[in-house]
Amino acid sequence: MTTAIPPAGVCNDLVQHEPDQLPDPDSHGPLGRVVATPEDAPSASPTWVTWLLFMVPLCIAELRDLAEPEVERIAAQSADLIASHGDDAQFGGHHQRSARTAIARGLAVLARSEGGVTALGIHACVRPHIGCPGALPAHPSPSEREERDV
């Protein structure tokens, strides 16, 4: 809360102003919503998808309480690392671990954007939005006919 002193003669009381409220960056919870994309969508290997389903929510939680300039710094750092060592992430190499982590962090940063991000076989978002693959039930309920056949 900040306090402002008005010009002399306007009023003798102090005026208090509330800071602007920032949009809630985690209305899906502290880990966001990270789901596998439908099987017919382009995807990475199943091992990559499983790893991303584990790692991206952790990165979302890591970024949750950071100020926007810090998030932008992490995004730029991740992009530089991916550009320099992205091949290590896929094929192995000295920078494999840091490159893979940079990919997960980059997806976590993009999950904060409107509509989230869909890439490499996953969808990640931190706010509800239209068309979210995570909004669909994981297992569609069986029809009446299927229930009778069981």
Side-chain angles (χ1 to χ4, degrees):
M1 181 167 59
T2 58
T3 305
I5 301 174
V10 173
C11 102
N12 294 332
D13 297 331
L14 295 178
V15 178
Q16 295 181 351
H17 298 281
E18 294 294 322
D20 293 336
Q21 295 296 322
L22 296 175
D24 184 17
D26 59 347
S27 53
H28 277 324
L31 302 176
R33 177 175 281 169
V34 182
V35 297
T37 55
E39 291 180 13
D40 59 341
S43 181
S45 73
T47 304
W48 255 102
V49 172
T50 301
W51 186 82
L52 289 170
L53 288 171
F54 167 76
M55 197 66 180
V56 172
L58 297 178
C59 292
I60 289 172
E62 183 181 275
L63 300 175
R64 186 172 69 124
D65 295 327
L66 297 180
E68 199 59 35
E70 182 68 14
V71 172
E72 290 173 7
R73 185 190 66 75
I74 289 171
Q77 182 182 35
S78 296
D80 287 344
L81 206 144
I82 293 166
S84 300
H85 303 291
D87 56 335
D88 287 353
Q90 184 175 2
F91 302 113
H94 182 69
H95 299 283
Q96 182 178 27
R97 181 180 297 168
S98 58
R100 287 184 176 190
T101 302
I103 291 169
R105 280 191 179 139
L107 290 171
V109 169
L110 291 171
R112 297 166 57 107
S113 66
E114 186 65 35
V117 62
T118 302
L120 299 173
I122 69 162
H123 172 79
C125 56
V126 296
R127 287 177 222 74
H129 60 91
I130 297 172
C132 180
L136 302 174
H139 302 286
S141 58
S143 68
E144 289 179 26
R145 180 178 208 167
E146 290 172 335
E147 287 177 2
R148 282 185 280 140
D149 291 341
V150 176

